[in-house]
Amino acid sequence: MSQTLLEREGEHPQDVVDERDGRRIVVLDSARWVDGRNTDTDVVVPASYVGVLPARMMAIHRPRGVIGHDACVGKDAAGIAGLWYLEALGIPSATAAGMTAEMGNGRDLWEHGVISYVNYPAEIIGVRPGMAVREAAFLLRDTDATDVEVGNKIRREVVEEHPSGRRTVVTDSIVWALPEDEGRSVLVTAGHTGRSGASFLLEANPWGFICHDGGMSKNRSGITGLKTTEDAGLAGATIDGTTAPIGDAFRGYAEGRISACNGPAEARGVAVGMTVAEAAHRLLVGGEG
């Protein structure tokens, strides 16, 4: 062959399904068919898994956004691992659930796919699991992504408020505690509760906390901070790493269960096996029920 498959970009089939103000939504059967025609302005919808390899193939062309297939996630989450590769480059990306769309069939993905996972740049645009691929693609095309440099990656939401003025705040890391949280907020975060995590907790001094157990780890080092905080009178518990991923406090709050807690948290009614949402409520009300 005079040209390799990598060089024959003009022959890659691309199906432009919608266009507005010079921005296009382009459906493809393969991530390999994303090329220089898609740089900056196109949301590409390829029916490939969004692993690291396809992500590398697409990232060099810098599309506006990506929606692919999750390959039913698979071992080591290999079917979606490229979402975070693309996130690091600031490219909003999502996947469709493997049982809602055929692999290798871009049209089926476009017409029937339902979003399963999103990265942070896509999330801040408004893409959500359960959304139709079509709807998500229009959002990615028509909405400019917020700057996603590290300083702007703080996710923070008040999920419950108490008549006393206390509240439960979900945020991904204890290092994102604010001065206003001291003595007032139950902080549900997703960093580990090891030695260094405990130092951040003592510095923030919230009303209570729930952090991640880091899979417990060697010598139960993922939760050693429970003892340190107990000695300081700070009520806290940890999220079971088998129930929610480390680093995502919102999934921890929605899906997680408690794996361990310290004495002050037990005194407020927190128990191992309890949902994180219920434990956070009990920490908030402080034994009132």
Side-chain angles (χ1 to χ4, degrees):
M1 294 192 306
S2 60
Q3 289 182 309
T4 69
L5 290 174
L6 296 177
E7 294 170 326
R8 289 155 48 191
E9 287 192 348
E11 298 178 20
H12 298 164
Q14 297 193 351
D15 183 5
V16 179
V17 295
D18 206 275
E19 184 171 1
R20 178 180 179 184
D21 299 329
R23 297 175 179 177
R24 309 185 304 171
I25 298 173
V26 182
V27 171
L28 314 95
D29 288 341
S30 173
R32 180 58 205 101
W33 294 341
V34 174
D35 59 37
R37 291 171 287 179
N38 309 120
T39 300
D40 296 331
T41 59
D42 289 353
V43 174
V44 295
V45 185
S48 293
Y49 71 103
V50 187
V52 174
L53 176 60
R56 289 205 307 263
M57 291 178 178
M58 294 184 284
I60 59 173
H61 300 296
R62 304 294 306 199
R64 179 178 177 84
V66 173
I67 302 176
H69 197 284
D70 73 5
C72 296
V73 184
K75 184 179 179 181
D76 300 331
I80 62 172
L83 288 176
W84 296 282
Y85 181 102
L86 295 166
E87 175 175 316
L89 299 173
I91 300 174
S93 307
T95 56
M99 299 309 291
T100 68
E102 296 179 2
M103 294 198 74
N105 184 340
R107 267 286 168 177
D108 193 67
L109 176 65
W110 168 247
E111 293 173 359
H112 303 293
V114 176
I115 298 297
S116 55
Y117 295 92
V118 302
N119 67 11
Y120 180 72
E123 178 185 315
I124 60 176
I125 284 173
V127 179
R128 297 287 184 268
M131 180 179 286
V133 165
R134 282 175 175 264
E135 182 182 358
F138 286 124
L139 272 174
L140 294 181
R141 184 195 64 182
D142 298 335
T143 311
D144 289 323
T146 301
D147 181 3
V148 292
E149 293 299 321
V150 172
N152 292 320
K153 278 194 165 182
I154 298 175
R155 300 194 303 172
R156 181 182 169 93
E157 182 180 342
V158 176
V159 296
E160 186 177 3
E161 296 186 74
H162 188 266
S164 66
R166 299 193 298 266
R167 71 275 177 86
T168 299
V169 177
V170 179
T171 189
D172 289 325
S173 175
I174 190 62
V175 302
W176 291 333
L178 300 178
E180 65 198 50
D181 294 318
E182 184 171 1
R184 178 188 181 197
S185 299
V186 173
L187 293 174
V188 179
T189 81
H192 66 80
T193 317
R195 184 173 66 175
S196 59
S199 67
F200 294 128
L201 284 162
L202 293 176
E203 182 180 352
N205 192 29
W207 174 251
F209 71 87
I210 301 176
C211 298
H212 202 275
D213 70 8
M216 295 294 187
S217 297
K218 181 181 178 181
N219 298 328
R220 293 172 67 85
S221 57
I223 64 168
T224 56
L226 288 178
K227 178 63 168 62
T228 306
T229 52
E230 178 174 314
D231 291 344
L234 178 56
T238 55
I239 300 169
D240 184 338
T242 67
T243 65
I246 194 166
D248 189 335
F250 289 83
R251 287 189 62 188
Y253 184 77
E255 304 169 21
R257 288 188 174 271
I258 299 300
S259 60
C261 59
N262 63 17
E266 286 182 343
R268 295 189 197 173
V270 177
V272 171
M274 183 177 287
T275 67
V276 169
E278 175 64 18
H281 172 74
R282 296 196 182 195
L283 288 174
L284 180 67
V285 301
E288 299 170 19

